Amino acid sequence: MNSNLFTALCKPPIYTKTEVPFWDDEYISKQMLDAHLNPEIDAASRRLEFIDNSVEWIRQMVPPSEYPTLIDLGCGPGLYAERFTKMGYRVTGIDFSKCSIDYAKQTASSKQLDISYKYQNYLEINLGETFDFATLIYCDYGALSTEDRRIILNRAYQHLRPGGKLLFDVFTMKKYEKVKEQQTWWVCHKNGFWRADEHIEMNASYKYLDHVILDLTVVISKNDITPYYIWDTCFTKESLIQEVERSGFKVRGIFGDVTGSMYQPESETIAILLEK
Ligand SMILES: C[S@@+](CC[C@H](N)C(=O)[O-])C[C@H]1O[C@@H](n2cnc3c(N)ncnc32)[C@H](O)[C@@H]1O
């Protein structure tokens, strides 16, 4: 048996990190950009209708007149950042997908929108300035390990002025309950999501204690056998509040999503508004 393949497919220790770029891989990030820009599907970004509603609700909750400077962590190709700018915020967007940041810069310039985009890892930012408001949208927080979640909360805290706000969303136990542990495979002849050339994708869903899910894809091409680990930590309202309060934030609102729907036990996401 091929031991590399066997090891790649086995259930790894919790929060094992992918050893090669994923968001910033040259080929994969182009497929990801297409997914971000597809207005009809909730893929890398949510559907445009959702984003429009979301930005409108955010404007009312955290108005640009009181919170003029906004840092959008994991801004992708700038779908939120552009809308925020049009509503009157002065926006800084951070993302470590070069492909998305290049697209965002070009689009902002063609629309004459003054947005500061930075190609950086948000876990490592040290911008030497503070903002009135920070956003981390589309459940990126839960994709991080426990240690990286602590780091991003600290980075956000450090980059907010006293009284500044942080808004982010996470998946709830509904997602954890829906996932069944399973293993499948798929033959792709060309132009797949992961590789341009022919390859096989093997997928597994694994569940862990503490409401953690792993979506594992092992790509087998003629050159490599590469496992990609996409983690999701799902939260209850209580577990989320407990975690964020440890970092010094005060909870100012709990919602069902980032359009401000009411949080209910059956909500698939929780959006949380925090204050420094
Ligand atoms: C699920 S997408 C959401 C994009 C955007 N917030 C939206 O809702 O349209 C997550 C984004 O976060 C970026 N990202 C993930 N981890 C990051 C990190 N450590 N530093 C900077 N950007 C990161 C990815 O490149 C991707 O663009």
Side-chain angles (χ1 to χ4, degrees):
M1 185 184 318
N2 183 319
S3 64
N4 285 349
L5 181 57
F6 188 80
T7 309
L9 285 166
C10 283
K11 186 172 186 172
I14 193 165
Y15 297 135
T16 298
K17 290 193 179 179
T18 309
E19 286 177 2
V20 294
F22 165 60
W23 290 107
D24 203 19
D25 172 87
E26 201 181 338
Y27 178 78
I28 297 171
S29 64
K30 287 198 185 105
Q31 316 316 307
M32 195 69 79
L33 179 60
D34 286 345
H36 276 295
L37 299 178
N38 187 329
E40 311 289 338
I41 53 166
D42 288 335
S45 294
R46 291 195 175 97
R47 276 166 290 166
L48 286 187
E49 191 189 345
F50 181 97
I51 295 178
D52 285 334
N53 291 337
S54 177
V55 171
E56 180 51 36
W57 172 71
I58 290 169
R59 184 179 67 84
Q60 290 168 28
M61 285 296 293
V62 188
S65 52
E66 290 168 52
Y67 300 84
T69 56
L70 187 165
I71 181 164
D72 188 15
L73 302 164
C75 61
L79 300 177
Y80 274 87
E82 288 187 6
R83 287 165 174 76
F84 285 144
T85 304
K86 287 181 187 159
M87 287 183 159
Y89 297 97
R90 280 201 310 282
V91 179
T92 299
I94 308 282
D95 204 288
F96 72 178
S97 161
K98 187 162 184 328
C99 183
S100 282
I101 284 289
D102 285 349
Y103 175 92
K105 281 183 178 168
Q106 271 172 24
T107 318
S109 141
S110 71
K111 295 179 182 169
Q112 299 186 325
L113 293 171
D114 185 14
I115 304 175
S116 168
Y117 283 116
K118 295 183 194 300
Y119 170 51
Q120 277 186 33
N121 184 340
Y122 54 49
L123 298 172
E124 294 169 4
I125 48 166
N126 197 357
L127 301 180
E129 60 181 312
T130 55
F131 297 82
D132 301 304
F133 183 27
T135 52
L136 174 67
I137 291 178
Y138 207 2
C139 301
D140 245 22
Y141 181 79
L144 302 171
S145 66
T146 310
E147 174 58 8
D148 286 348
R149 295 197 304 275
R150 192 186 60 76
I151 291 173
I152 190 63
L153 288 180
N154 286 345
R155 293 279 165 187
Y157 198 88
Q158 170 199 342
H159 285 85
L160 285 172
R161 56 127 164 120
K165 297 252 167 77
L166 167 65
L167 174 72
F168 69 90
D169 54 351
V170 294
F171 288 114
T172 63
M173 295 301 295
K174 286 283 151 212
K175 175 160 181 178
Y176 186 77
E177 283 155 14
K178 261 194 216 158
V179 169
K180 303 265 170 285
E181 288 209 329
Q182 59 182 11
Q183 303 171 353
T184 54
W185 53 270
W186 172 258
V187 175
C188 187
H189 293 282
K190 61 175 179 177
N191 301 336
F193 177 82
W194 299 93
R195 296 287 184 276
D197 299 335
E198 68 179 7
H199 63 279
I200 298 168
E201 290 173 28
M202 302 189 99
N203 287 96
S205 299
Y206 290 122
K207 292 174 95 168
Y208 292 75
L209 289 177
D210 296 328
H211 318 144
V212 177
I213 304 163
L214 170 62
D215 178 7
L216 166 66
T217 299
V218 178
V219 176
I220 306 160
S221 74
K222 57 176 182 289
N223 302 319
D224 66 320
I225 295 175
T226 306
Y228 294 90
Y229 305 108
I230 300 181
W231 295 97
D232 238 317
T233 301
C234 302
F235 288 87
T236 62
K237 189 173 130 187
E238 292 71 26
S239 66
L240 183 60
I241 291 174
Q242 200 179 47
E243 183 162 305
V244 296
E245 283 184 340
R246 266 186 235 130
S247 62
F249 279 107
K250 295 177 277 277
V251 178
R252 289 293 181 242
I254 294 278
F255 308 90
D257 61 27
V258 288
T259 67
S261 69
M262 195 196 294
Y263 171 76
Q264 289 167 336
E266 58 276 13
S267 298
E268 304 228 329
T269 59
I270 303 173
I272 190 162
L273 183 66
L274 304 176
E275 183 175 318
K276 173 170 172 176

